[in-house]
Every structure is written in structure tokens, then in C-alpha cells.
Amino acid sequence: MAIDTTMLEANGLRFAVDIAGQGDTVALLLHGFPEARQSWHRQIPFLAELGWRVAAPDLRGYGGSSRPQGQAAYSIEHLTEDVAALFAALGGKRRILIGHDWGGVIAWQVALRGKVHLDGLVILNAPHPDVFARELRRGWTQRRRSWYVAFFQLPWLPEWLLTRNGGAPLVKMFRSHSEHIPSEQIEIYRRNLVQPGAATAMLNYYRANFSGLAGGAGSNPVITVPTLMIWGKNDLALDIKLTEGNEQFVEDFTLRKLPRASHWVQQDAPDEVNATIAEWARDKGLA
């Protein structure tokens, strides 16, 4: 199935969006750091075949989407408002939100804040905020893995390190984590990163939301939306213990661990991810 690229106006910004499929069920796919909408190219046609209208945008600050200035423009309030506005622009009677990494962080917050009525939530390698807070309190295992979050708070140095030699450190990072991400996708991420102001926009997700997102255990309402968590077990940044206990915070929770996948799970194991989403969607009456 062909993927079309269009520009959508939402929340006062312009978003580059890859779209495929028809139907009254809209699936919105949110990528992570430091990726782009192309990270979903193995999912978009497959999910469209389920009868969904599938849309994968570049998040604000990324790729072909608007890049507002200032750290505050990347607060979680604005990011969740983007999702609500994109769903409004796309229409549809049923709404499924799928997010990986930072896209998963945003997706959790959309469900928790109730800004959008969701019929399904799919999270890939992104912990529920209360679970993340729990693991940070338990000891140094996840704190050590999250060292880069503190590093990203520094001015200019992270930008310099990421973009030097034309973005070579980003390419090296992807290659050290996974052998399965296509070179053409990594090249897209590299080109996006070295655009003027792009690295700062990407890092502002971490800077604008450094405190407050994790919260304290039990500080968030229970999610009633049917939720699927897919987790690549070979994640170097997020400990596998973050998959434990999520069912305490979600009424209808399904967990699938993929033993041979890294953090970049939908690119590492696209067939397994697709099959898992399809099985869950059919079980929940969403496909």
C-alpha cells in the first residue's frame, strides 16, 4: 500500500505526516528521539491493511514539521496538545495512539490527561511514568542507564557532540545498538539532526520536561484505555524491570516482550511488532 506525505495544520504548527489507508479508525504513530516519521515505514502499510487510516507525523521540531523556538515550546503540555489537534485534523470515529520512546512518553501523558478519547493505546519501549519513578527510587540501575538525560541538560555541548562531523556520532549510536535499521533511515535521521536548530529542538524535549514527568508512585489516575506494551528486551537505555507492575496503573494491560529486539523495536523486529499489534487489535475489537 502506498504511503502519501502531506502537511497538516494542527495546534498552530505545520506537521509533515505520512498517511496510508482509509476508514473510521485513525491510528496516530509517534516516533522517538532522535528519529522521524520514517521509523514507522514498516508499520504504516501493514496497519492500513487492518482497515485503519494510519498517520505518522514528524513531531514538532523534527524533520519537515515546524520548529518553534525556545525550550518552553517543547513542554509536555504542548506535546499532548499537538496529539489532540492532529487527531482532530485527521477525523475518524475511533482513535488509536501508538508511541515509541519519546512518542511513548507523550502517548502515556495523552491517556493520563484525558485530552483525547482513545479507543486503544500501544506503547513501545517507554515506561509508565509511575513505573519509571519507582525504578529511579529503587537504586542506581536505571539511574546509570539514564545518564544521558542529565547530560542533555547542559547548554550547547550536547548539540556539538551530536552534530560534529556531520552527525557521525548519531550514526555510530544507531549502529552500536542495532544491525537491522536500514542505512537509508539512519541517513534521514542524520540529515534531520544537522538542520539549523534541529538538535536543540530535539534536546528541548528533555530540557523542558526534566522534572515532573515521572512524578511519584500513585500520583496518576488509572488508565482505562485498552493498552498494549511491546518491549524490545535488548534495550541499552531502559531496564527490563520497567516492564514490571504496569498492570497496577492500567485496567486492561497486555505486555509482549521481544527477546531479540533492541530499544529501536519497530525497526529491529517489524514483523513481530506488526503481528503483535494486529493480534491485540483483533482481540480488542479494534480491527
Side-chain angles (χ1 to χ4, degrees), residues 109 121 146 208:
Q109 291 296 324
L121 179 66
S146 298

Side-chain angles (χ1 to χ4, degrees), residues 94 226-227 252-254 279-287:
R94 296 195 300 184
T227 301
D252 184 345
F253 181 75
T254 304
E279 178 186 11
W280 170 82
R282 294 184 180 114
D283 182 59
K284 302 303 176 184
L286 296 171

Side-chain angles (χ1 to χ4, degrees), residues 43-279:
Q43 283 69 51
I44 295 172
F46 179 87
L47 298 179
E49 293 289 345
L50 294 181
W52 297 349
R53 187 177 184 216
V54 185
D58 283 333
L59 300 182
R60 66 164 61 199
Y62 281 82
S65 294
S66 297
R67 189 171 297 123
Q69 299 296 307
Q71 180 175 303
Y74 297 87
S75 70
I76 196 65
E77 288 77 15
H78 293 307
L79 302 177
T80 54
E81 287 166 1
D82 288 348
V83 172
L86 283 165
F87 268 127
L90 290 162
K93 293 181 180 178
R94 296 195 300 184
R95 295 170 174 178
I96 299 171
L97 186 57
I98 302 176
H100 167 251
D101 184 76
W102 253 104
V105 174
I106 298 167
W108 279 122
Q109 291 296 324
V110 169
L112 288 166
R113 292 164 186 248
K115 288 188 176 182
V116 179
H117 172 76
L118 296 175
D119 297 280
L121 179 66
V122 180
I123 304 291
L124 294 86
N125 281 68
H128 183 285
D130 284 342
V131 173
F132 190 59
R134 180 199 71 199
E135 289 306 311
L136 289 178
R137 288 195 307 273
R138 277 185 174 177
W140 284 98
T141 301
Q142 185 55 51
R143 292 183 196 178
R144 282 194 295 268
R145 292 190 180 214
S146 298
W147 68 269
Y148 61 93
V149 178
F151 173 69
F152 285 167
Q153 305 308 307
L154 298 174
W156 70 263
L157 182 59
E159 283 93 331
W160 178 79
L161 285 175
L162 284 171
T163 60
R164 64 194 176 95
N165 299 326
L170 178 140
V171 175
K172 182 178 179 181
M173 180 273 293
F174 275 112
R175 285 289 172 238
S176 67
H177 284 222
S178 172
E179 300 176 353
H180 305 294
I181 303 175
S183 296
E184 57 269 24
Q185 283 187 222
I186 296 177
E187 175 59 16
I188 290 169
Y189 307 153
R190 186 199 65 78
R191 288 200 310 265
N192 287 348
L193 177 72
V194 299
Q195 292 178 26
T200 296
M202 296 176 187
L203 292 166
N204 277 342
Y205 280 68
Y206 294 92
R207 293 166 176 165
N209 302 289
F210 183 61
S211 61
L213 267 189
S219 65
N220 289 304
V222 173
I223 291 173
T224 59
V225 180
T227 301
L228 168 66
M229 174 180 278
I230 301 173
W231 199 276
K233 293 179 71 173
N234 296 329
D235 193 322
L236 298 181
L238 299 172
D239 190 74
I240 192 65
K241 290 182 180 178
L242 292 168
T243 62
E244 300 172 2
N246 289 273
E247 64 278 2
Q248 299 175 37
F249 309 106
V250 184
E251 283 186 2
D252 184 345
F253 181 75
T254 304
L255 172 64
R256 295 290 182 267
K257 300 177 186 178
L258 303 186
R260 292 177 295 278
S262 73
H263 176 77
W264 318 102
V265 58
Q266 78 270 28
Q267 298 168 88
D268 238 4
D271 294 336
E272 291 175 272
V273 167
N274 291 350
T276 300
I277 294 175
E279 178 186 11

